Amino acid sequence: MKSFSTQGLMRRLEVRQKNAYEGQTNAWINRDIVPLPPSRRTWGSWSFVGFWLLTGFNISGWTTASSLLGLGLNVWQAMVSVIIGQLIVGVAVVANGFVGAEWHIGFPVYNRFVWGVFGSFFPLLMRILLSIVWYGVQLVFGGKSVKVVIGAIWPSFYALHNTLPASAGIELNDLVGILIFAFISFPLLLVPPEHFRKPFLYGSIIMTVAVFAIFIWALAKEGGGGPLLNHPSQLSGVEPLTGGTKLGWAMAYGISSTIGGISAGILNQSDYTRFAAYPSAQIISQLVIVPLSSVIIALVGVIVTSCAAGFYPDDGLLWAPYDLLPVIQARGGPGARAACFFAGCAFVISQFGINIPGNAISGGIDLSGLLPKYINIKRGAFVTAALGLAICPWKLLTGTSVFLTVLSSFAVFLGPLTGVMVSDYLVVRRSRLRLAHLYMPKPASIYYFTYGVNFRAVVAWIFGVWPLMPGFINAVSPSPVGISEGWTRCYDLAWPLGFTLSAFVHVGLSMAFPPIGLGEVDEEDVYGTFNEEKIEGDGGLEESTSDGESEKEKIPV
């Protein structure tokens, strides 16, 4: 598919000159969004395993099944919802990762052939917003983990006098933890993604040991799975669901919420798979480890919560590890303080693992695609991190129902986006692209469509979103707006329904109105994507280095 004809030096210079875009190159391309050459593709299969273990074994994953109990599900019904949801996630992650693994381009460039060179700004802006929001949310979890570490050293930190007003929505010791976590995160933003392989490995080992140590300790101390397994409604205060219809739709909503929690990661999966050393590196590893890691951490989280309800009955349900660890410390001796310190450190590391590559770096890549002349990955990551703190993200996490609503609201918009992307690459284009035309903001590009926008993608996305909007509006409104049960059911299936509708409509429109250039590929390896060959000649792109200076890096042809 990606074989290129052998041409002489003059032909290569002509291709380079043709694709210089008459001085507009710097406005559409930089080192961070150009198709990656072999030297920068360092992730093998085990790199993806480490990535998903580190990003899967985190606080959000820990509370996934527990959050579903608020719907009236019991533990095993919640786990079935998590398992089904995560199996769908695994398939979607791989499907949307093929572009990155095969053509080594990230999310910003991916959408140029889906939405058009100008239309791509729409999903790009949406993903940037999500990166900022999710960076802030995970920042809160990281800050609470830092509070555990500080509290294990100085227990008085837990009783620190709160001088903040009630309107702040946060106590002083939590804010201190968040600020410390944010400060420590900043140097990590300087690490290029191609160098994440070893940190993924070490971090995943540390987090795996910590998670299973807590799990085994809880089972041994309680002598079983705890009361939540058999009597969830008595502890959660939520009436159990009766009747097959109510239960079935509650589980469907749980499945969609499970997908919604990772839907932003599914959307920009090519930002990670573009670093794959070979195209198949992402397939088996992600198909297995994505659902497996998420199901394991959800099961561990709900069982540890259940066990804690047994041996700490007066402390309520300790859903999150940052709530559980201080209670363990208060009820234990010096050994408990040491254990909580190391466990807190492990969760801090896990939050670095999910927040740096999953949110800050992703935001940096997307911002570099939006303004490549001025922003590279590092600058974009710092912008994402700063804005993620500025939005006061702790106000998003005011309760289980609110959190689930936020997750589902993401799925309303991202499921259709993902459906358009996957169907366009795998079905409409059959995995064939012209890389050079992705960086050409002119009508001569086959991805220019109509004034730079692909109407097929726009219409398909709208068709996927509109059936979900009445239920979405009803869910986020302070009081019910009064909609029929059918609209609510559509919303309960937000991600799968939106994905399917948009995918079918996009394929149908592309068959009725075929885009130009289907099946075309470049005759030359214009950017050295597959052989990294360099030649002498004019042209090139500006590379912004870490010290702010610029140097010429020639684009091989």
Side-chain angles (χ1 to χ4, degrees), residues 398-473:
T398 57
T400 299
S401 60
V402 174
F403 189 54
L404 282 175
T405 301
V406 171
L407 296 185
S408 296
S409 68
F410 288 158
V412 165
F413 305 105
L414 303 192
L417 272 178
T418 310
V420 172
M421 293 169 66
V422 171
S423 63
D424 190 282
Y425 179 67
L426 295 181
V427 181
V428 176
R429 302 192 182 280
R430 300 184 184 275
S431 306
R432 298 175 68 84
L433 302 175
R434 288 199 71 173
L435 289 181
H437 282 224
L438 291 170
Y439 302 91
M440 185 186 297
K442 290 179 175 292
S445 170
I446 62 174
Y447 307 120
Y448 193 79
F449 300 104
T450 305
Y451 300 106
V453 179
N454 183 3
F455 78 90
R456 304 162 190 82
V458 175
V459 173
W461 183 78
I462 292 173
F463 263 84
V465 171
W466 76 264
L468 314 178
M469 289 307 297
F472 167 71
I473 295 171

Side-chain angles (χ1 to χ4, degrees), residues 412-548:
V412 165
F413 305 105
L414 303 192
L417 272 178
T418 310
V420 172
M421 293 169 66
V422 171
S423 63
D424 190 282
Y425 179 67
L426 295 181
V427 181
V428 176
R429 302 192 182 280
R430 300 184 184 275
S431 306
R432 298 175 68 84
L433 302 175
R434 288 199 71 173
L435 289 181
H437 282 224
L438 291 170
Y439 302 91
M440 185 186 297
K442 290 179 175 292
S445 170
I446 62 174
Y447 307 120
Y448 193 79
F449 300 104
T450 305
Y451 300 106
V453 179
N454 183 3
F455 78 90
R456 304 162 190 82
V458 175
V459 173
W461 183 78
I462 292 173
F463 263 84
V465 171
W466 76 264
L468 314 178
M469 289 307 297
F472 167 71
I473 295 171
N474 184 62
V476 299
S477 297
S479 58
V481 297
I483 60 172
S484 67
E485 186 178 18
W487 293 119
T488 301
R489 299 310 183 207
C490 288
Y491 176 70
D492 290 342
L493 297 172
W495 197 95
L497 180 60
F499 178 98
T500 304
L501 286 175
S502 289
F504 272 102
V505 172
H506 185 66
V507 171
L509 287 174
S510 298
M511 292 176 64
F513 308 97
I516 64 171
L518 292 180
E520 293 184 9
V521 297
D522 291 325
E523 293 182 357
E524 292 287 332
D525 187 1
V526 178
Y527 303 108
T529 309
F530 305 103
N531 57 37
E532 208 165 5
E533 178 186 2
K534 294 182 180 291
I535 67 170
E536 297 296 330
D538 295 329
L541 59 89
E542 294 287 337
E543 175 191 3
S544 296
T545 59
S546 58
D547 60 2

